[in-house]
């Protein structure tokens, strides 16, 4: 039996190239070798948007489209929405009973979120965010969790909660392990890290024309003002994208940028072509699913049904271990 794997993503916006290269492509590879569960964590999103969740439903749908477009295959893995599988909430509640408050107060993301979002009085749910994440993982007895480095504190906490549960109630859960995705930082069009909140992102859902337009305005080496000026590829965000999406031409581009023979306009044209070609199959798939809402609905229903079955098996053991029911 293949090892079980789970990962989750918050429906906070359309997914961009950073999400694609940092997570989705890796998930697509992993779905072939693990019993995989990919969860759109809408309850987690409520820890920051609870007062105005008006867009939540459409964001969930867009993320589902991006998952399917990237190549996650409902025949190989379970793609589902967290709130469709109530067992996550039940396990979250039970785990909250055995999680010491100080463990949660020292989680770095809790402090960061409170500061970044300017929250004076954080909600109970925000503090409990990592307990809900532990429940997401544990309810499937997932052993492998592909995540970025920023999530390591949450996985460490999940392991601590797992050990505590097993110590108190018997060996129900395996300890999960992170499958670290070591992605190169994806530069956005302004040269900073690509992020939806900076307004510098290229989205999976962008058209080829939109992509071309964004690349036209992209920052380059500030010392290279016109063709003829020698460029410094090592500081140029366009070159960073060439290395990702136009590997074959990279040595030539590097040489001719440095010498000055290649201007930024032509360099960007090359990138636009390579990037649009790379994304074409993903965008085509997105179109197919976007024009057939019933197909997406069916994939999410099928995913939730499979997830519920696995999760309910775990919960039967948990309830028995905790002398419930
Ligand atoms: N906290 C994760 C993030 O912000 C999302 C997440 C929720 C998750 N539940 C998970 C990731 C379970 C891995 C496993 O990226």
């Amino acid at each position: 039996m293949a090892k079980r794997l789970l990962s989750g993503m918050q429906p906070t916006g359309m997914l961009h190239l950073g999400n694609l290269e940092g997570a989705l492509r890796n998930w697509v590879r992993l779905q072939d070798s693990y019993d995989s569960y990919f969860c759109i964590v809408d309850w987690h999103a409520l820890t920051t948007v609870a007062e105005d969740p008006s867009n939540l439903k459409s964001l969930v749908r867009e993320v589902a489209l991006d998952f399917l477009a990237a190549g996650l295959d409902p025949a190989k893995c379970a793609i589902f929405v967290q709130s469709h599988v109530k067992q996550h909430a039940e396990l979250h509640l039970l785990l909250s009973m055995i999680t010491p408050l100080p463990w949660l107060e020292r989680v770095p993301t809790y402090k960061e979120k409170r500061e970044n979002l300017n929250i004076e009085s954080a909600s109970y749910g925000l503090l409990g965010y990592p307990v809900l994440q532990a429940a997401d993982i544990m309810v499937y007895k997932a052993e492998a969790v592909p995540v970025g480095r920023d999530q390591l504190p949450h996985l460490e906490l999940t392991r601590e909660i797992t050990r505590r549960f097993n110590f108190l109630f018997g060996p129900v859960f395996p300890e999960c392990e992170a499958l670290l995705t070591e992605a190169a930082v994806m530069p956005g069009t302004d040269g900073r890290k690509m992020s939806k909140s900076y307004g510098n992102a290229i989205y999976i859902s962008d058209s080829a024309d939109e992509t071309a337009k964004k690349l036209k305005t992209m920052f380059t080496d500030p010392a290279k003002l016109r063709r003829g000026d020698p460029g410094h590829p090592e500081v140029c965000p366009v070159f960073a994208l060439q290395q990702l999406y136009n590997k074959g031409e990279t040595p030539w581009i590097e040489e001719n940028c440095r010498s000055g023979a290649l201007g930024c306009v032509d360099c960007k044209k090359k990138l636009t072509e390579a990037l649009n070609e790379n994304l074409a199959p993903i965008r085509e798939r997105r179109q197919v699913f976007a024009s057939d809402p019933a197909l997406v609905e069916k994939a999410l229903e099928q995913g939730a049904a499979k997830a519920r079955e696995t999760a309910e098996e775990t919960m039967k053991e948990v309830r028995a271990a905790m002398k419930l029911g």
Side-chain angles (χ1 to χ4, degrees), residues 30 197 200 205 313 325:
L30 292 166
S197 46
N200 66 358
S205 50
E313 264 175 45

Side-chain angles (χ1 to χ4, degrees), residues 138 161-174 317-318 320-323:
M138 291 165 69
I161 295 175
T162 297
R163 285 195 288 267
R164 185 156 164 79
F165 185 100
N166 289 346
F167 168 75
L168 293 170
F169 307 113
V172 172
F173 295 106
E317 283 181 60
V318 170
M322 294 182 83
K323 312 297 176 210

Side-chain angles (χ1 to χ4, degrees), residues 136-211:
D136 295 341
I137 297 166
M138 291 165 69
V139 85
Y140 301 101
K141 298 188 179 181
E143 291 180 78
V145 186
V147 285
R149 212 162 257 294
D150 64 308
Q151 293 298 310
L152 290 183
H154 291 163
L155 291 207
E156 194 48 50
L157 187 77
T158 301
R159 275 193 294 272
E160 281 170 323
I161 295 175
T162 297
R163 285 195 288 267
R164 185 156 164 79
F165 185 100
N166 289 346
F167 168 75
L168 293 170
F169 307 113
V172 172
F173 295 106
E175 275 186 43
C176 70
E177 235 178 272
L179 297 183
L180 262 195
T181 342
E182 240 13 296
V185 178
M186 178 70 64
T189 51
D190 61 0
R192 291 186 290 173
K193 182 181 159 155
M194 188 177 286
S195 161
K196 128 186 105 57
S197 46
Y198 292 158
N200 66 358
I202 295 171
Y203 294 93
I204 294 176
S205 50
D206 283 345
S207 68
D209 285 347
E210 281 167 310
T211 305

Side-chain angles (χ1 to χ4, degrees), residues 14 20 28 40 57 86 102 135 155 158 162 234 241 245-246 259 293 299 304:
M14 308 269 188
L20 179 64
V28 169
I40 302 171
K57 240 196 175 127
K86 310 299 182 204
L155 291 207
T158 301
T162 297
E234 65 279 3
L241 291 189
Y245 292 103
N246 198 8
S259 77

Side-chain angles (χ1 to χ4, degrees), residues 13-311:
M14 308 269 188
L15 302 183
H16 53 61
L17 297 185
N19 305 121
L20 179 64
E21 306 304 340
L24 287 179
R25 292 227 207 240
N26 195 35
W27 295 7
V28 169
R29 265 193 305 275
L30 292 166
Q31 69 179 339
D32 290 319
S33 32
Y34 288 87
D35 181 21
S36 300
Y37 293 76
F38 296 109
C39 183
I40 302 171
V41 292
D42 54 348
W43 279 330
H44 274 112
L46 286 181
T47 60
T48 45
V49 304
E51 278 149 36
D52 179 19
S54 46
N55 294 326
L56 195 55
K57 240 196 175 127
S58 75
L59 288 174
V60 165
R61 199 186 122 75
E62 297 299 338
V63 171
L65 283 176
D66 286 329
F67 279 14
L68 292 164
L72 289 184
D73 179 352
K76 294 181 181 169
C77 64
I79 304 168
F80 64 101
V81 180
Q82 186 184 38
S83 66
H84 295 178
V85 186
K86 310 299 182 204
Q87 286 84 353
H88 291 232
E90 185 184 358
L91 185 57
H92 167 250
L93 177 91
L94 297 177
L95 296 180
S96 78
M97 305 299 173
I98 62 159
T99 306
L101 210 42
W103 289 9
L104 298 178
E105 285 164 339
R106 68 166 196 238
V107 172
T109 47
Y110 175 59
K111 241 177 114 180
E112 282 159 25
K113 279 183 192 162
R114 264 186 338 184
E115 282 165 12
N116 294 346
L117 303 169
N118 239 326
I119 301 174
E120 301 128 49
S121 54
S123 71
Y124 174 50
L126 186 70
L127 181 68
Y129 182 110
V131 183
L132 181 56
Q133 182 162 351
D136 295 341
I137 297 166
M138 291 165 69
V139 85
Y140 301 101
K141 298 188 179 181
E143 291 180 78
V145 186
V147 285
R149 212 162 257 294
D150 64 308
Q151 293 298 310
L152 290 183
H154 291 163
L155 291 207
E156 194 48 50
L157 187 77
T158 301
R159 275 193 294 272
E160 281 170 323
I161 295 175
T162 297
R163 285 195 288 267
R164 185 156 164 79
F165 185 100
N166 289 346
F167 168 75
L168 293 170
F169 307 113
V172 172
F173 295 106
E175 275 186 43
C176 70
E177 235 178 272
L179 297 183
L180 262 195
T181 342
E182 240 13 296
V185 178
M186 178 70 64
T189 51
D190 61 0
R192 291 186 290 173
K193 182 181 159 155
M194 188 177 286
S195 161
K196 128 186 105 57
S197 46
Y198 292 158
N200 66 358
I202 295 171
Y203 294 93
I204 294 176
S205 50
D206 283 345
S207 68
D209 285 347
E210 281 167 310
T211 305
K213 231 184 254 163
K214 287 184 177 178
L215 290 179
K216 260 190 197 148
T217 66
M218 185 155 178
F219 282 34
T220 59
D221 171 8
K224 185 170 165 68
L225 298 177
R226 54 185 67 81
R227 189 209 303 259
D229 294 347
H232 307 83
E234 65 279 3
V235 301
C236 178
V238 170
F239 186 73
L241 291 189
Q242 300 278 22
Q243 287 176 304
L244 279 169
Y245 292 103
N246 198 8
K247 279 204 181 72
E249 276 194 298
T250 310
W252 183 91
I253 289 168
E254 177 163 15
E255 193 187 320
N256 287 276
C257 169
R258 276 192 206 286
S259 77
L262 177 66
C264 295
V265 174
D266 289 334
C267 178
K268 286 175 172 180
K269 272 192 196 137
K270 287 182 178 298
L271 175 61
T272 303
E273 232 167 77
L275 180 58
N276 279 336
E277 189 184 312
N278 183 292
L279 294 179
I282 293 179
R283 288 170 168 163
E284 273 160 35
R285 253 194 313 269
R286 202 178 195 285
Q287 276 299 316
V288 171
F289 285 107
S291 62
D292 192 350
L295 199 58
V296 180
E297 200 93 328
K298 207 181 120 212
L300 292 179
E301 258 166 39
Q302 188 188 322
K306 180 176 175 199
R308 259 181 238 122
E309 202 180 302
T310 309

